[in-house]
Amino acid sequence: MSKNLKVVLVGLPGCGKSTFGRQLAQELKFPYLDLDIQVEEKFQQKIPEIFSIYGEGKFREWETETLSELLKRESSFVLATGGGAPCFNDNMDMINEAAISVYLDVPLEAISERLRVSKVQNRPMFQGLDQGEITLKLKSLLSQREYFYNQAKIKLSGEDFSAELLMYELINQLKS
């Protein structure tokens, strides 16, 4: 693989960006980064605190600033973004200019099952919602965000994709 290859994963909350990102990074022998964790470390506050104290606008500003700094690094990595990151402040354009973007397009039913009521404690957006409401929230998010996700250079669809499949797609992308 090429020097300074940046792979940025995008998709809905619960689609597997973090889990798959770690697997892919291990396969590529690249560092794995999570954009939300990078924002928390840079600004020394947890995401829910940032939202409650400063609001979503400030969070999105800090998220874009952090993303921009990461994409300017002279090193390879795999980055999992938050579900909304590609949809604000021309972030998807910035990602596509500096990296190979990958949209993990997982069926809503599968994501909804992953986000079952018992598993939403670390996902404030879904807390207090029953299973039907979680599914409706996901449908709403998809309708708002799919335009941005579909700008990714690679789209992996389905529930089961492997690091090997993405490696094959990355090689094809680098050749073209």
Side-chain angles (χ1 to χ4, degrees):
M1 290 273 152
S2 124
K3 278 194 230 174
N4 301 329
L5 174 66
K6 297 165 183 68
V7 180
V8 179
L9 305 176
V10 302
L12 285 172
C15 74
K17 297 179 298 286
S18 298
T19 302
F20 184 64
R22 284 186 195 91
Q23 292 171 352
L24 181 63
Q26 189 174 11
E27 191 80 24
L28 292 170
K29 297 180 177 33
F30 287 178
Y32 166 76
L33 304 171
D34 179 296
L35 184 56
D36 285 347
I37 292 170
Q38 297 293 313
V39 170
E40 288 179 346
E41 289 176 358
K42 179 177 171 73
F43 295 99
Q44 302 195 336
Q45 287 180 300
K46 296 288 183 194
I47 302 293
E49 290 173 16
I50 296 170
F51 266 80
S52 70
I53 296 169
Y54 304 103
E56 184 180 9
K58 180 55 84 175
F59 168 72
R60 296 298 177 191
E61 180 185 318
W62 288 354
E63 178 182 60
T64 298
E65 179 183 321
T66 305
L67 177 63
S68 176
E69 289 169 6
L70 291 172
L71 291 172
K72 289 176 183 166
R73 286 186 180 176
E74 294 293 322
S75 60
S76 298
F77 57 77
V78 174
L79 175 68
T81 64
C87 311
F88 295 89
N89 306 321
D90 298 320
N91 286 349
M92 196 66 196
D93 291 338
M94 182 171 42
I95 290 167
N96 280 331
E97 285 174 24
I100 295 180
S101 52
V102 180
Y103 170 24
L104 302 184
D105 179 26
V106 175
L108 287 178
E109 304 75 42
I111 296 174
S112 182
E113 185 60 28
R114 291 177 189 177
L115 295 178
R116 227 177 300 123
V117 176
S118 61
K119 297 181 181 176
V120 297
Q121 63 271 22
N122 294 328
R123 297 180 184 272
M125 181 185 294
F126 298 101
Q127 285 180 351
L129 302 181
D130 67 27
Q131 200 62 41
E133 292 168 325
I134 289 172
T135 302
L136 286 174
K137 178 77 173 174
L138 287 167
K139 283 181 182 174
S140 172
L141 288 172
L142 183 62
S143 71
Q144 296 165 30
R145 297 175 175 181
E146 194 169 32
Y147 168 79
F148 298 98
Y149 297 158
N150 279 324
Q151 293 174 36
K153 295 176 182 176
I154 296 172
K155 180 177 180 178
L156 296 180
S157 296
E159 287 178 66
D160 298 315
F161 29 75
S162 64
E164 293 79 20
L165 173 63
L166 184 51
M167 298 274 284
Y168 174 79
E169 294 292 337
L170 286 172
I171 290 165
N172 285 338
Q173 186 74 34
L174 292 171
K175 286 180 182 173
S176 60

